Amino acid sequence: MTDQAALRRRRVTAAEVAEAAGVSRSAVSRAFTPGSYIDPDKRAAVMRAATELGYRPNALAAGLSGARSHLVAVFMGEMPNEYDREVVEALVGGLNRIGTWPIVIAGPVTSARDAVADVLRFPLEAMILRSGSLDEAVLEACAKLAIPVISSGRLLDRPGVDTICVRNREGMAKAARLMVERGRRRVCYIGGPESFGASDGRRQGMTEALAAAGLAPVAVVAGDFSVSSGYRAAQEVLAVSKLDAMICANDAMAIGALSALAEAGLSVPGDVSVTGFDDMAMAAWPAFGLTTVRNPVPALVEGVTGLLERRLAEPHRPEETIRLDAELVLRRTH
């Protein structure tokens, strides 16, 4: 095996570049550090040697030495439906556009906790929480390490935590008022898990809007924000209640409910009106045409990246909260 072939089997070091270029190790560091002075001839020699050897500076090592790491952890928790995956894709793209590199942690909170503990060993610039259910241990660990936290989707009143969240209560109230305007009087509500931050606000908005019209839901059941849980919840209600509307706490459960209604021989919206929440891409498919409340992904990503940039620029600035408006999107199921 040649010397060059051996080098390619492992990461080339700055010391090897320095030797090949005939310069000091510190000269290699300066050559790759924006704004640092180095003699032009030495810079050219370093760059030639780096190209020949396939050298790239170790960004993680730079972060450990106090330079910016550009690493941001995104704690997603469980992702039971397509809307969550749409958010991840858009958020990763947004973080990349501002020059940061996300480490995404997903899965149940209990199993993700170990992954969070591991990722906190890296020189993170921030932690973004997208998990519906809150793990206090994550917040405590970030606070001890002075890692800024951005809570996306759940309002948190904590020191050092910036927050962005859609107006869940107001958005769901719009959906409930739409049902009242359509003349619906026997309304079922399919909610989300109690541990999720969005669940309380959405249920409260639905309850208040119906109460203002002198109504109360004929049934309230909980799903887990997945399509299958919406299907099972709708089946459960249809077995014991006659209803003319289903308000669902997210689009995935609404799509599951549509399947259960079709199996029961009920027409939508003739017999039963159905609404969701989020406006995931699938909601607009002709097969569903779901009336829903938009939880705007582009505005969410813009808000998160803006909060991150402002926090990194001014670490001691006051905590900031952004509330996103929830727009009613009318399609054919209402």
Side-chain angles (χ1 to χ4, degrees):
M1 181 183 294
T2 66
D3 291 342
Q4 290 293 325
L7 283 174
R8 292 191 185 99
R9 293 176 63 88
R10 57 177 174 78
R11 189 181 185 95
V12 178
T13 67
E16 291 165 336
V17 175
E19 182 179 357
V23 301
S24 66
R25 170 65 179 79
S26 62
V28 175
S29 177
R30 292 196 303 275
F32 284 95
T33 303
S36 294
Y37 175 76
I38 180 174
D39 178 83
D41 290 339
K42 288 185 177 181
R43 183 188 297 277
V46 168
M47 293 306 175
R48 282 197 301 273
T51 299
E52 291 171 3
L53 297 175
Y55 171 77
R56 292 292 184 275
N58 189 326
L60 180 57
L64 291 170
S65 66
R68 282 199 62 183
S69 70
H70 302 276
L71 294 176
V72 176
V74 182
F75 182 39
M76 290 298 303
E78 295 183 82
M79 294 186 288
N81 60 74
E82 279 301 316
Y83 178 76
D84 296 311
R85 288 179 275 275
E86 289 172 17
V87 170
V88 172
E89 181 179 359
L91 186 55
V92 168
L95 291 169
N96 288 164
R97 283 192 293 274
I98 64 170
T100 56
W101 311 111
I103 303 173
V104 179
I105 303 167
V109 170
T110 51
S111 61
R113 189 177 290 121
D114 291 339
V116 170
D118 286 339
V119 83
L120 288 176
R121 297 183 299 159
F122 291 84
L124 299 179
E125 295 195 342
M127 171 76 75
I128 298 170
L129 297 179
R130 268 295 304 174
S131 175
S133 56
L134 179 64
D135 186 355
E136 292 284 348
V138 175
L139 287 176
E140 292 173 3
C142 289
K144 290 178 180 177
L145 295 169
I147 296 173
V149 173
I150 298 173
S151 176
S152 168
R154 185 176 191 132
L155 294 174
L156 293 178
D157 184 13
R158 303 288 183 86
V161 178
D162 296 312
T163 300
I164 181 168
C165 187
V166 72
R167 299 182 187 275
N168 287 297
R169 178 178 168 185
E170 294 87 341
M172 192 57 85
K174 292 178 180 180
R177 285 195 292 269
L178 177 65
M179 296 296 95
V180 173
E181 292 167 4
R182 285 279 288 118
R184 303 307 190 180
R185 294 295 179 267
R186 297 186 57 78
V187 180
C188 160
Y189 180 68
I190 301 178
E194 291 183 3
S195 61
F196 277 48
S199 295
D200 285 346
R202 293 180 189 181
R203 178 169 177 168
Q204 188 175 10
M206 176 275 305
T207 303
E208 291 175 349
L210 291 183
L215 301 174
V218 297
V220 174
V221 290
D224 62 8
F225 284 148
S226 67
V227 172
S228 58
S229 73
Y231 173 78
R232 290 191 299 270
Q235 282 188 319
E236 176 185 332
V237 173
L238 290 171
V240 296
S241 300
K242 181 175 176 60
L243 49 93
D244 56 18
M246 282 188 175
I247 299 175
C248 303
N250 79 339
D251 291 345
M253 294 192 298
I255 287 172
L258 289 173
S259 296
L261 290 167
E263 283 188 0
L266 297 170
S267 66
V268 177
D271 296 320
V272 181
S273 293
V274 178
T275 64
F277 200 112
D278 284 336
D279 194 29
M280 66 183 187
M282 193 182 296
W285 289 8
F288 304 119
L290 180 65
T291 292
T292 186
V293 178
R294 179 168 294 149
N295 192 350
V297 175
L300 172 68
V301 172
E302 182 180 353
V304 169
T305 55
L307 286 171
L308 177 59
E309 289 182 308
R310 292 191 290 277
R311 178 59 58 193
L312 294 178
E314 301 179 64
H316 302 294
R317 67 194 298 271
E319 291 77 16
E320 182 178 354
T321 295
I322 297 175
R323 301 294 300 273
L324 301 175
D325 290 333
E327 175 190 354
L328 192 61
V329 181
L330 301 179
R331 295 194 179 98
R332 65 176 177 80
T333 62
H334 70 283

